[in-house]
Amino acid sequence: MGKGQGLQPAGRNGQGRRVSDLKVPTNGAHQNGNRPLRIVIVDDHQLVSDGLGMLLGSQPDFEVAGFANAVADVAALTLATDPDVVVMDFHLRDGTGLDAAVAIRKVQPNARFVFLSRDDSDSAWLAAIEAGAGAFIHKSRAATDVIEAVRQVGNGASLIPPSMISSLLSRNREAEVRRESLSGREREVLQLMSEGWSSREIAEKLVLSPETVKSHVAAILEKLNVSDRTQAAIYAVRNGLVEQPAS
C-alpha cells in the first residue's frame, strides 16, 4: 500500500477501508503553502472512527490518511501513512493509547498524539502524559474542540498545562502510597467493591466469612481515607487502583 491511500486494517467484516470510501472532501494545503497535516485515526468503534474521518477530513488543512482499530495494527499503518498527528481512543480492544503510542514512536518518533476517551481518571491522564500526548479530549467535548486540538497539536502545541501535570504526579504519588498499603486480599475486595458487588457476594466469591469481609472493607476505608464504599470505589477507579472495563 502506498502512502496516503488510507487502507484500514481488516475489521470485523474482514474488509479494508479507504478514506475515499467515507467520501471525505478533497483537502487543500495550509494557507501558508505547507502541506496539510496528515492524520490517522485509531478507534475500535466503527461509528466513531467514521465520524472522526468525516469531521477532520472536512478541514482544508487536514488530510485523513488512514484508520486502525487495534494496537496491533498501528505500526504498519504508521509506516504506510507517515502521520503528523494520531487521533486515538485511549481504550482499544487489545491495549491502551499508551501501548499504541509506544508502537508508533518506534517507527515515527515525531508523531504527535491527541487522545480521545470517556475515561477521565487520573490513571488515564497519566498514561497520556507518559505517551507524550499533546491533548487529552473527553468524548463529550464539542466537535470544534477536537478540530482545534488536532490543529494546535499538529503545529507543535501542548494543551496539557504543566500545572495539571504537576498535580497529577502529586496525586499519583499519594495513590501509590495508599496502593502499597493495601494487602493482596484488600485489593481483591476493593476490586469487587468497585464492580458493585455486595459484602455478601464478595464473601461468597472469595470464600470468606461476612465478618472477615466487613473487616477488610473497614481497613480499606481507613487506608484510602474515605468514609464509605462508594467513595472508595470512586477513588480506586480514578487513581488506577482497580481494573476497569474499556470504554
Side-chain angles (χ1 to χ4, degrees):
M1 180 181 69
K3 288 187 178 181
Q5 288 181 312
L7 181 62
Q8 180 194 27
R12 291 174 183 164
N13 59 6
Q15 298 295 317
R17 179 159 58 102
R18 296 181 185 277
V19 174
S20 57
D21 294 336
L22 298 179
K23 303 187 184 302
V24 176
T26 301
N27 295 302
H30 288 290
Q31 292 183 356
N32 63 7
N34 296 330
R35 69 171 176 82
L37 288 172
R38 192 184 301 273
I39 300 164
V40 298
I41 295 167
V42 183
D43 198 298
D44 56 3
H45 294 87
Q46 189 80 42
L47 184 61
V48 173
S49 183
D50 288 354
L52 284 170
M54 291 293 293
L55 174 70
L56 300 176
S58 68
Q59 301 302 301
D61 53 338
F62 293 170
E63 176 190 350
V64 179
F67 302 83
N69 54 27
V71 174
D73 298 324
V74 296
L77 179 64
T78 300
L79 282 171
T81 57
D82 190 25
D84 300 302
V85 183
V86 180
V87 179
M88 59 183 164
D89 195 352
F90 178 73
H91 290 290
L92 300 166
R93 64 187 185 186
D94 60 344
T96 68
L98 175 56
D99 300 323
V102 170
I104 290 168
R105 288 203 187 279
K106 288 180 179 178
V107 296
Q108 171 50 289
N110 296 321
R112 296 180 176 274
F113 304 106
V114 172
F115 282 9
L116 301 175
S117 184
R118 292 186 179 88
D119 182 355
D120 199 33
S121 67
D122 282 3
S123 57
W125 274 93
L126 285 164
I129 292 168
E130 184 178 350
F136 190 105
I137 306 294
H138 196 274
K139 284 188 173 180
S140 64
R141 295 279 291 275
T144 52
D145 292 339
V146 177
I147 292 170
E148 187 59 24
V150 172
R151 182 172 288 121
Q152 290 194 41
V153 170
N155 285 292
S158 175
L159 305 184
I160 303 178
S163 59
M164 175 179 286
I165 295 174
S166 177
S167 177
L168 285 165
L169 291 175
S170 176
R171 291 204 300 270
N172 184 60
R173 285 191 293 271
E174 176 186 339
E176 184 63 30
V177 170
R178 295 185 181 184
R179 182 187 298 112
E180 293 301 319
S181 74
L182 296 171
S183 69
R185 181 62 83 182
E186 288 166 352
R187 293 178 192 178
E188 290 181 293
V189 172
L190 180 58
Q191 177 69 50
L192 295 175
M193 285 169 54
S194 72
E195 295 173 5
W197 293 54
S198 69
S199 292
R200 179 182 58 80
E201 292 169 331
I202 293 172
E204 292 176 355
K205 181 174 178 61
L206 299 182
V207 194
L208 300 171
S209 70
E211 291 74 18
T212 299
V213 171
K214 183 178 179 180
S215 176
H216 284 316
V217 171
I220 290 168
L221 298 184
E222 181 179 357
K223 290 179 179 180
L224 299 187
N225 193 29
V226 295
S227 60
D228 56 43
R229 292 166 55 105
T230 299
Q231 290 182 9
I234 292 172
Y235 181 91
V237 170
R238 286 197 58 84
N239 291 279
L241 302 184
V242 296
E243 297 180 0
Q244 56 181 314
S247 65

